[in-house]
Every structure is written in structure tokens, then in C-alpha cells.
Amino acid sequence: DGGITQSPKYLFRKEGQNVTLSCEQNLNHDAMYWYRQDPGQGLRLIYYSQIVNDFQKGDIAEGYSVSREKKESFPLTVTSAQKNPTAFYLCASSSGDSRDYGYTFGSGTRLTVV
Amino acid sequence: QQQVKQSPQSLIVQKGGISIINCAYENTAFDYFPWYQQFPGKGPALLIAIRPDVSEKKEGRFTISFNKSAKQFSLHIMDSQPGDSATYFCAASGRFSGSARQLTFGSGTQLTVLP
């Protein structure tokens, strides 16, 4: 079945540590996105990539970094510069096909600072 | 101008009732309007979507009503069930000069359907 796989489901980070969240898709989608969701809040865009080897900052990119070396993969690194990283992180992808501009989301990674 | 405003923030409905969530936008370049449903601890899933060339789209108990002149669209859930309790996000997609097409999300509505 085609879809987006995010791992791990739960992640704990110590103060000052960098952590990387994985996002893999087998939908052959060109575009991929990372969102942050805080409790009871909406979706805030961190980074997005429309094509391999290219990505753009979203609304809250500070303290995060990404790479897009393969079409299928768009990992997100939460760096020590992100002072309040505890949140639910969602990865999404889209084909950009005119028949369907919607996104497919992964099941999320819950990151907690300990 | 690329914002999508969603209301209410939370909604409580009795089982069997109608749930209505509203969204409004300003920019007429938006041309695709999906709704997403998110259960706790899960990613949002596409529920239903509409394009501005139609005023209504129905899929089962879920209906999108679209008012192009008012720049508003709404989700109606008929015969609401406790299993519909979730957070609902409206969104809009358009092609804006100098940027790639992407979705702009509303702030979300937490729906609770009482048994």
C-alpha cells in the first residue's frame, strides 16, 4: 500500500541534543512538507520541498534543518537551537497533480524534551 | 491575504445532530478547498474536497457547501456520531505568483459528539 511512514512514533530528546525525524513516502510524490502541531493548535509549516535537492523555509524554520537527497525521503533534524521542540511533528506529501492538490499525511512523531 | 479563517474553535453536538464548521478566505486565487479529519495522535486524513465551479459536494454524511461570492465554505456533518469526534481542518490551495502551490490550513475545530 502506498503511503507515508514516519519514524519513530515517539522520540525523547535531552537538552542540547540534535535529533532526526524520518519521513519516507512511496507515493511517487514530488512535494514533501513538515508541520509542527502543538496541543490544541493548528498546523504550522516548518519546511517544504518541491523537488529533490531543493527545499524552502516555512513559517517556523528556525532551529530546524532538512535535506532532500532522494525523492522518497525528507528527514527533519531538530537542532539544539530549537528552544521549545516538544510537539507533534507531521510529514506530508503531494503530487501536485491538477486532479488532486491535497496532501497525504504520515501518522506523526511525538517529540518530548526530557 | 493567503489566510483561511475557521470557526468555531470547538463544537459540541448531540448524537444525531448536524455539525457545521465554517471557513472564510480572502484571496480569489484559491481554487481547491479540502477538509481534513484528525483523530488524537494521528495525522490528518483527507475527508472531502471541492473546487469553486460547484456549490455543493456530498459524500455520505459529509457535505461541503461553497459560496464563491461570499468567499466562504462550510462542512456539514449530518447525523453526527460519537465516532466523528475529532479535529477538523479546512484548507485552501491556489497558485500564487512567485511561489509553488501549497495548502493553507485553517486553525482547526475540535468536534465532540455526545452519545
Side-chain angles (χ1 to χ4, degrees), chain A residues 9 33 35 37 40-43 45 48 50 88 90 94 96-108 110, chain B residues 9 31-32 34 36 38 40-46 51 87 89 93 95 99-103 105-108 110:
Chain A
K9 189 172 178 64
Y33 310 84
Y35 287 89
Q37 187 174 33
Q41 302 297 312
L43 304 168
L45 182 64
Y48 64 99
Q50 298 290 327
F88 189 49
L90 288 160
S94 69
D97 191 302
S98 61
R99 293 168 295 178
D100 178 12
Y101 294 127
Y103 292 178
T104 300
F105 282 88
S107 55
R110 188 167 299 281
Chain B
Q9 188 174 3
D31 58 6
Y32 175 78
Y36 287 83
Q38 184 182 28
K42 304 292 186 184
L46 179 65
R51 294 178 189 262
T87 299
F89 292 96
S93 172
R95 186 169 294 284
S99 64
R101 178 182 282 275
Q102 59 180 278
L103 285 176
F105 287 91
S107 54
Q110 189 165 349

Side-chain angles (χ1 to χ4, degrees), chain B residues 57-109:
Chain B
K57 184 173 182 180
K58 184 176 181 179
E59 290 185 3
R61 296 185 292 108
F62 300 91
T63 300
I64 299 179
S65 295
F66 186 81
N67 186 328
K68 190 173 181 178
S69 60
K71 291 185 281 188
Q72 295 175 348
F73 58 110
S74 59
L75 177 70
H76 296 236
I77 305 174
M78 311 300 287
D79 187 26
S80 298
Q81 300 296 313
D84 297 330
S85 297
T87 299
Y88 292 81
F89 292 96
C90 65
S93 172
R95 186 169 294 284
F96 298 94
S97 175
S99 64
R101 178 182 282 275
Q102 59 180 278
L103 285 176
T104 298
F105 287 91
S107 54
T109 296

